[in-house]
Amino acid sequence: MNMPSKILFSSIFFFFAVFVFLSLIVSALSPTFSQLFLVFSYPHRAYDFASNLLLGCFVLMCLVFIIRSVRKKRGNTTEKMAAALIGSIMLSVLVVRLVYREIQLRDDDIIYALSDANVLLKKIVEIGIYSIIYTFFIFLPLLLPALKIRLNVFTKLGEWLSAYMPSVNTTLFLLFAYAIQPYYGKSNILLYIDLWLFYVGFGLMIIVIWRNRELFGLYEYANLLWLVLGVLIFSLCSKMISQADYNNTRTIFIIIGLMSWCGEWMSASLNGAIKPSGIRELFTTNTKGKL
């Protein structure tokens, strides 16, 4: 991972982690501000605003990458198309969130009639997104180094997968997102599955530290420390978190994690660490051998 990119996203992560920590600690210790975290977690409040701001920055980052790639004549068609697709998705998500906010603020009988359907659709989307992130951004990136499996970079497909593999830092950001949850007194079994999936991811991270210390530097250890501190604070404030819409808080760190992942391969592409190629070359090049 390029050092300026690592510093940038670690700094953003640090800022929002402290923001969440302070809101929880103040809510727990101050009778006057006991509802602070709850209020911040309400839809269309502080955490929602932060998520929308980060989504806007995400779209801008994709646009800047495409412009710089064109100016540098990198020939990185694959990365430019990926950036355009991801930027379009994030822009669509931002627009939907803003439109949905305006609809929710209206006192309309139709909105109330559709509220149950909206809640169900939201839950289905959340489960789908969480499953994808757990699989491709936490479990697989940690399972490979935990088992000492190395991708064969001498094949085109192996080189491509290696270039797009999320770093330890990105995985730490996303693990932190899933650490934000009540650790006891959950209302249904799906929430306990969510908790155990986090435990599995955290356990894999410990194994990776033990077996691959070369992957950890100053920022990785610092972000790991914030994760451990977060688990401690969130577990002590479980009752408070269970009363809030903590998914709004999670969204902030999910966006940071995805931005970090994109920043990694974007920086590598601009710096020449990823060989310029088109999508067709990925499948037409000989890919014999293990990945």
Side-chain angles (χ1 to χ4, degrees):
M1 183 175 179
N2 183 266
M3 182 57 71
S5 176
K6 181 184 292 189
I7 294 173
L8 173 63
F9 293 110
S10 292
S11 300
I12 295 173
F13 169 71
F14 170 77
F15 173 81
F16 283 105
V18 171
F19 182 31
V20 172
F21 288 162
L22 288 177
S23 64
L24 279 170
I25 293 171
V26 170
S27 297
L29 299 180
S30 173
T32 305
F33 298 99
S34 59
Q35 301 297 312
L36 185 63
F37 179 78
L38 185 64
V39 171
F40 280 176
S41 300
Y42 281 152
H44 321 309
R45 297 295 178 89
Y47 294 146
D48 253 0
F49 174 78
S51 297
N52 290 340
L53 180 62
L54 287 170
L55 282 171
C57 292
F58 203 159
V59 174
L60 182 61
M61 183 180 77
C62 293
L63 181 61
V64 170
F65 168 74
I66 294 172
I67 293 173
R68 291 190 63 188
S69 296
V70 172
R71 287 183 176 178
K72 284 190 171 186
K73 300 180 180 179
R74 296 298 306 165
N76 51 352
T77 306
T78 304
E79 287 73 33
K80 284 186 288 190
M81 291 185 64
L85 177 61
I86 293 171
S88 299
I89 293 173
M90 294 305 157
L91 179 60
S92 300
V93 172
L94 177 59
V95 171
V96 169
R97 286 171 63 95
L98 293 176
V99 171
Y100 186 66
R101 174 184 181 275
E102 294 302 318
I103 292 176
Q104 279 194 317
L105 293 176
R106 295 178 183 176
D107 186 13
D108 195 318
D109 291 338
I110 297 178
I111 302 304
Y112 290 116
L114 295 176
S115 60
D116 291 340
N118 287 335
V119 171
L120 178 61
L121 179 61
K122 183 179 179 182
K123 290 299 180 183
I124 293 174
V125 171
E126 284 178 355
I127 292 173
I129 292 174
Y130 290 171
S131 299
I132 291 172
I133 292 177
Y134 265 125
T135 301
F136 295 103
F137 290 87
I138 295 178
F139 292 154
L140 286 179
L142 292 178
L143 190 60
L144 293 179
L147 297 177
K148 289 284 189 177
I149 296 175
R150 297 288 184 266
L151 295 173
N152 185 359
V153 296
F154 295 104
T155 67
K156 188 62 182 179
L157 183 58
E159 179 187 12
W160 186 81
L161 290 174
S162 179
Y164 281 87
M165 183 71 70
S167 70
V168 171
N169 254 340
T170 293
T171 303
L172 283 168
F173 298 155
L174 292 167
L175 270 177
F176 185 91
Y178 292 123
I180 304 173
Q181 59 177 299
Y183 285 73
Y184 55 86
K186 293 175 178 289
S187 58
N188 62 69
I189 191 171
L190 287 177
L191 298 180
Y192 281 103
I193 293 174
D194 184 24
L195 177 61
W196 281 105
L197 288 174
F198 167 74
Y199 284 154
V200 172
F202 190 80
L204 285 173
M205 180 64 72
I206 299 301
I207 296 174
V208 171
I209 297 173
W210 174 48
R211 304 196 70 186
N212 301 269
R213 293 187 181 180
E214 70 278 2
L215 297 177
F216 287 78
L218 174 63
Y219 289 95
E220 286 78 12
Y221 280 118
N223 293 328
L224 177 63
L225 177 63
W226 288 117
L227 173 60
V228 173
L229 181 61
V231 171
L232 177 62
I233 293 176
F234 301 146
S235 60
L236 293 175
C237 299
S238 279
K239 184 176 181 180
M240 189 184 308
I241 294 174
S242 66
Q243 296 171 349
D245 189 355
Y246 59 88
N247 286 323
N248 287 332
T249 315
R250 276 183 165 185
T251 302
I252 295 174
F253 297 97
I254 290 175
I255 296 172
I256 293 173
L258 295 178
M259 287 180 70
S260 173
W261 171 66
C262 288
E264 291 165 5
W265 56 260
M266 286 179 180
S267 297
S269 178
L270 290 173
N271 294 331
I274 299 178
K275 295 179 182 178
S277 66
I279 294 179
R280 181 181 298 179
E281 296 176 27
L282 177 64
F283 299 99
T284 58
T285 303
N286 185 6
T287 57
K288 290 183 179 181
K290 295 181 180 181
L291 294 180

